[in-house]
Amino acid sequence: MTEERVGPADDTDALTGVFLFRVPEEAWWWSDDMCRLLGYDSDETPADDAMLDRHVHPDDREGIRRVWDRGLRTGTPFSTYYRLLTRDGQERHAVLVGDGRVDDDSVVVLRGFVVDVTEPVQRHAQESADVDIARARASQEDVDVARGVLMALYGVHEDVAFRVLRRHSQQTNVKLRTVARAVVEATPTPPGEGQHDLHLRIAQALYPED
């Protein structure tokens, strides 16, 4: 079987390994990319059950075995996500997809791919983290502004102003950032209203039911 490679030979980020298991003979065949994905040269690693199991994260081995056993029984398409361990102990993210060839109601071959998805998984995790950080920063900005408003309005220390916000949050069972946002939104003086109405607007934000 010939392979079409994309990218340099040592670029594991782009690797998609191919495997084939002949059930009656219990014989494996791995592509060169499969070997590289596990951290081996193609001529130095035996392809067998033990080798494959050794390169699956211990917490994911049961799931891999369950999917594999179902494939052996039925030959129907299967897939699973798991953490792959390379020869030098690096942890990568992979997806195993495959199916079986059935002959006389018996599965005679399992074949499929191991796709390295480390880069997109890490990119998604970073993007999610960036979003969470941005939200946290925005929330903190609202809290800081609201605290400043209460400090100016009531003439209190920043710690006291924060404790007022937190107390209202606890008492009303409303998240602190939501209380702070309400104070921030109530602060600007609407056209036609006097600045002296600020106290009333803040009170309404803190005590919306009164």
Side-chain angles (χ1 to χ4, degrees):
M1 181 182 298
T2 60
E3 297 178 68
E4 180 180 348
R5 288 188 51 78
V6 178
D10 60 351
D11 182 7
T12 55
D13 289 340
L15 292 179
T16 296
V18 182
F19 67 85
L20 185 145
F21 178 61
R22 300 186 185 280
V23 179
E25 301 91 344
E26 297 186 355
W28 284 88
W29 174 86
W30 289 357
S31 69
D32 290 347
D33 275 355
M34 184 73 170
C35 298
R36 294 188 185 101
L37 185 54
L38 299 179
Y40 296 92
D41 292 332
S42 58
D43 59 353
E44 67 170 332
T45 175
D48 55 34
D49 290 342
M51 179 63 73
L52 186 64
D53 193 61
R54 190 179 308 146
H55 289 282
V56 176
H57 190 284
D59 293 343
D60 297 335
R61 286 173 186 168
E62 182 179 349
I64 286 282
R65 290 169 185 154
R66 186 165 55 248
V67 170
W68 187 260
D69 289 344
R70 186 168 67 247
L72 287 173
R73 290 195 312 270
T74 67
T76 55
F78 55 87
S79 66
T80 186
Y81 161 85
Y82 74 103
R83 286 162 292 177
L84 179 151
L85 301 177
T86 65
R87 182 185 190 181
D88 59 1
Q90 293 184 30
E91 182 179 299
R92 304 191 68 80
H93 302 271
V95 174
L96 172 72
V97 296
D99 61 11
R101 180 162 61 84
V102 179
D103 189 11
D104 293 332
D105 296 327
S106 296
V107 178
V108 295
V109 171
L110 284 183
R111 64 278 175 105
F113 306 89
V114 175
V115 183
D116 185 353
V117 295
T118 303
E119 184 177 346
V121 167
Q122 291 178 340
R123 185 169 60 249
H124 175 73
Q126 184 59 54
E127 290 172 352
S128 297
D130 290 343
V131 170
D132 290 341
I133 291 172
R135 288 175 177 170
R137 286 175 176 169
S139 297
Q140 186 59 47
E141 288 176 3
D142 285 342
V143 172
D144 289 342
V145 172
R147 182 172 54 187
V149 170
L150 296 188
M151 289 170 62
L153 183 63
Y154 295 109
V156 296
H157 187 269
E158 61 179 338
D159 180 61
V160 174
F162 179 75
R163 290 172 63 180
V164 169
L165 288 172
R166 187 173 59 185
R167 180 58 179 166
H168 278 286
S169 171
Q170 295 170 343
Q171 188 170 6
T172 59
N173 197 28
V174 176
K175 292 182 178 179
L176 176 62
R177 63 174 180 267
T178 303
V179 173
R181 188 61 189 167
V183 171
V184 172
E185 292 177 347
T187 301
T189 302
E193 290 190 12
Q195 185 65 35
H196 62 277
D197 291 330
L198 174 61
H199 182 275
L200 177 60
R201 295 197 304 274
I202 296 304
Q204 289 175 337
L206 293 176
Y207 309 96
E209 296 182 357
D210 292 346

